[in-house]
């Protein structure tokens, strides 16, 4: 059962300008430590940050809140599963919202796809509810 769908498209140059103008203040306010370590290692640093920014925007849309009701950008972090597949790890207000929209007896799954082709970066998020595995 699909609980929410969100997408976002952003101009990579916008993130480049924010990094140039605000530097670490912008990065530390918006991105998790995991996202910072991953993006700072990339040759296309701004594109990496832009994809993660778009993922946060898309996730807020899939949650149905946008950035309000105690849902903040840093409450959503792009992480990779052991297979390499990207997903989002939610904390604080974003996690509480996810729990609120997940029906009893179900577990939430967040599917994420991110891409970039200069000057654009895009993310699509689908939040689904799956039956809870027996014994959990």
């Amino acid at each position: 059962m699909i609980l929410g769908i969100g997408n976002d498209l952003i101009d990579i140059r916008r993130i480049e300008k924010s990094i140039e103008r605000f530097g670490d203040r912008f990065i530390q306010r918006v991105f998790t430590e995991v996202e910072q370590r991953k993006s700072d290692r990339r040759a296309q640093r701004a594109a990496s940050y832009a994809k993660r920014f778009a993922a946060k925007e898309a996730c807020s849309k899939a949650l149905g809140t946008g950035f309000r009701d105690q849902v903040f950008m840093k409450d959503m972090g792009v992480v990779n599963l052991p297979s390499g597949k990207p997903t989002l790890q939610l904390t604080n207000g974003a996690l509480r919202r996810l729990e609120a929209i997940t029906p009893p007896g179900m577990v939430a799954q967040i599917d994420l796809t991110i891409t970039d082709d200069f000057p654009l970066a895009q993310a699509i998020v689908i939040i689904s509810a799956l039956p809870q595995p027996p014994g959990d």
Side-chain angles (χ1 to χ4, degrees), residues 41-99:
R41 289 193 317 249
R42 300 280 191 237
Q44 300 299 319
R45 182 175 181 237
S48 181
Y49 276 121
K51 287 187 285 192
R52 284 155 178 74
F53 190 95
K56 294 166 186 285
E57 290 278 358
C59 186
S60 74
K61 294 170 186 175
L63 288 170
T65 58
F67 292 105
R68 62 180 184 4
D69 297 334
Q70 300 299 305
V71 174
F72 301 103
M73 282 206 157
K74 208 163 178 179
D75 293 344
M76 303 168 213
V78 176
V79 295
N80 294 88
L81 299 176
S83 66
K85 176 184 173 182
T87 188
L88 285 145
Q89 182 174 32
L90 307 187
T91 60
N92 303 317
L95 179 58
R96 285 190 297 276
R97 174 63 182 164
L98 179 65
E99 291 167 346

Side-chain angles (χ1 to χ4, degrees), residues 3 12 14 26 31 67 78 90-91 94 100 114 122 124 132-133:
L3 302 176
I12 295 167
R14 179 176 158 212
F26 168 72
F31 301 99
F67 292 105
V78 176
L90 307 187
T91 60
I114 52 178
Q122 181 183 29
I124 298 170
Q132 196 164 25

Side-chain angles (χ1 to χ4, degrees), residues 8-20 23-57 73-74 76-78 88 114-116 119-123:
D8 192 64
L9 185 66
I10 186 167
D11 190 320
I12 295 167
R13 296 168 294 194
R14 179 176 158 212
I15 297 300
E16 262 177 337
K17 288 177 185 172
S18 293
I19 292 170
E20 287 171 9
D24 282 345
R25 196 170 110 217
F26 168 72
I27 290 170
Q28 291 181 9
R29 182 176 178 173
V30 174
F31 301 99
T32 66
E33 289 181 23
V34 170
E35 291 173 314
Q36 291 174 43
R37 281 194 304 274
K38 189 135 193 157
S39 294
D40 287 343
R41 289 193 317 249
R42 300 280 191 237
Q44 300 299 319
R45 182 175 181 237
S48 181
Y49 276 121
K51 287 187 285 192
R52 284 155 178 74
F53 190 95
K56 294 166 186 285
E57 290 278 358
M73 282 206 157
K74 208 163 178 179
M76 303 168 213
V78 176
L88 285 145
I114 52 178
T115 190
D116 68 283
L120 300 173
Q122 181 183 29

